[in-house]
């Protein structure tokens, strides 16, 4: 359920003479109640392509967690996976697309990296620590933004046109979606809603085993 309004003339910093902007809010429910926080959702536009930034994105391993748990990148962009934990090795693997960067410790040269060349979500795991899980969201352009705690977000300098707007949350099985029409010099205002129903990211190891049956030396 969403509401779509146009508010011409406001917030000129987000919309130049030739581009527009999208200002939105994602309302999040969890088990039938409003969620305590709606931060860290990724709002993004689909319908046009842009080249990948040359700068690498980074998904860090810190305090035995992936940071951030949801990372948006552009198709063709390189992601580095630095291990910031000096007390343990970490690993990076994905089952779809299937790749494995091996196990490595902190402080040994450049971090392992991977180029993400297919759009869509990619689930990232660590073959040592079963609780380490993250999602890399591979998007067609860089017109994306994280939500604030109240679910608000802004997408600036957007080419005029009618685009598909999505809001992706790791705990929502289906992203929120709305059509949005961007007009030069104006800010389109959109409300989206999504429901969190997925709270487990249990998975097998790289070689298809249960973690509990394996032995490793951290
Ligand atoms: Cu790990």
């Amino acid at each position: 359920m969403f509401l779509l309004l146009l508010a011409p003339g406001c917030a000129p910093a987000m919309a130049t003479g030739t581009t527009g902007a999208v200002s939105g809010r994602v309302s999040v429910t969890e088990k039938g109640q409003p969620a305590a926080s709606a931060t860290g959702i990724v709002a993004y536009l689909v319908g046009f392509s842009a080249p990948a930034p040359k700068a690498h994105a980074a998904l860090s391993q810190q305090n035995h967690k992936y940071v951030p748990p949801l990372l948006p990148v552009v198709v063709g962009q390189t992601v580095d996976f630095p291990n910031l934990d000096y007390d343990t090795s970490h690993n990076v693997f994905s089952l779809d697309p299937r790749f494995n960067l091996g196990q490595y410790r902190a402080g040994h040269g450049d971090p392992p990296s991977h180029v993400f060349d297919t759009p869509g979500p990619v689930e990232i795991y660590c073959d040592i620590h079963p609780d380490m899980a993250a999602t890399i969201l591979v998007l067609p352009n860089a017109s994306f933004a994280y939500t604030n705690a109240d679910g608000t977000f802004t997408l600036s300098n957007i080419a005029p046109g009618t685009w598909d707007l999505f809001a992706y949350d790791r705990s929502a099985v289906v992203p929120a979606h709305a059509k949005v029409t961007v007009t030069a010099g104006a800010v389109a205002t959109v409300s989206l809603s999504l429901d969190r129903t997925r709270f487990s990211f249990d998975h097998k190891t790289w070689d298809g085993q249960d973690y509990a049956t394996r032995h490793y030396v951290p």
Side-chain angles (χ1 to χ4, degrees), residues 117-143:
D117 51 15
T118 304
V122 179
E123 303 300 326
I124 300 293
Y125 304 119
C126 170
D127 209 13
I128 299 172
H129 304 107
D131 292 339
M132 289 181 64
T135 303
I136 293 179
L137 199 52
V138 187
L139 300 173
N141 57 66
S143 295

Side-chain angles (χ1 to χ4, degrees), residues 61 64-66 85 88-91 126-130 132:
Q61 299 156 325
H64 297 211
K65 289 182 171 21
Y66 278 115
D85 289 333
T88 183
S89 294
H90 286 300
N91 159 263
C126 170
D127 209 13
I128 299 172
H129 304 107
M132 289 181 64

Side-chain angles (χ1 to χ4, degrees), residues 17-181:
T18 57
T19 67
V22 177
S23 174
R25 181 171 183 271
V26 186
S27 303
V28 184
T29 52
E30 198 171 303
K31 298 175 182 170
Q33 302 292 325
S37 173
T39 194
I41 296 165
V42 172
Y44 61 95
L45 292 174
V46 170
F48 56 93
S49 298
K54 288 202 167 42
H56 293 193
L59 186 62
S60 299
Q61 299 156 325
Q62 189 168 21
N63 299 323
H64 297 211
K65 289 182 171 21
Y66 278 115
V67 182
L70 176 61
L71 177 69
V73 303
V74 179
V75 173
Q77 193 168 7
T78 301
V79 178
D80 295 336
F81 296 89
N83 179 354
L84 305 181
D85 289 333
Y86 281 83
D87 63 336
T88 183
S89 294
H90 286 300
N91 159 263
V92 172
F93 78 91
S94 158
L95 297 174
D96 184 17
R98 194 169 171 85
F99 69 89
N100 190 326
L101 302 184
Q103 296 185 2
Y104 54 96
R105 300 192 72 90
H108 292 279
D110 292 339
S113 63
H114 185 79
V115 178
F116 289 81
D117 51 15
T118 304
V122 179
E123 303 300 326
I124 300 293
Y125 304 119
C126 170
D127 209 13
I128 299 172
H129 304 107
D131 292 339
M132 289 181 64
T135 303
I136 293 179
L137 199 52
V138 187
L139 300 173
N141 57 66
S143 295
F144 52 69
Y146 284 112
T147 53
N148 302 305
D150 63 357
T152 56
F153 65 89
T154 302
L155 304 172
S156 301
N157 299 318
I158 308 301
T162 297
W163 313 118
D164 288 294
L165 169 69
F166 292 93
Y168 190 99
D169 183 283
R170 296 183 75 227
S171 292
V173 175
V174 180
H177 170 251
K179 287 280 187 185
V180 59
T181 296

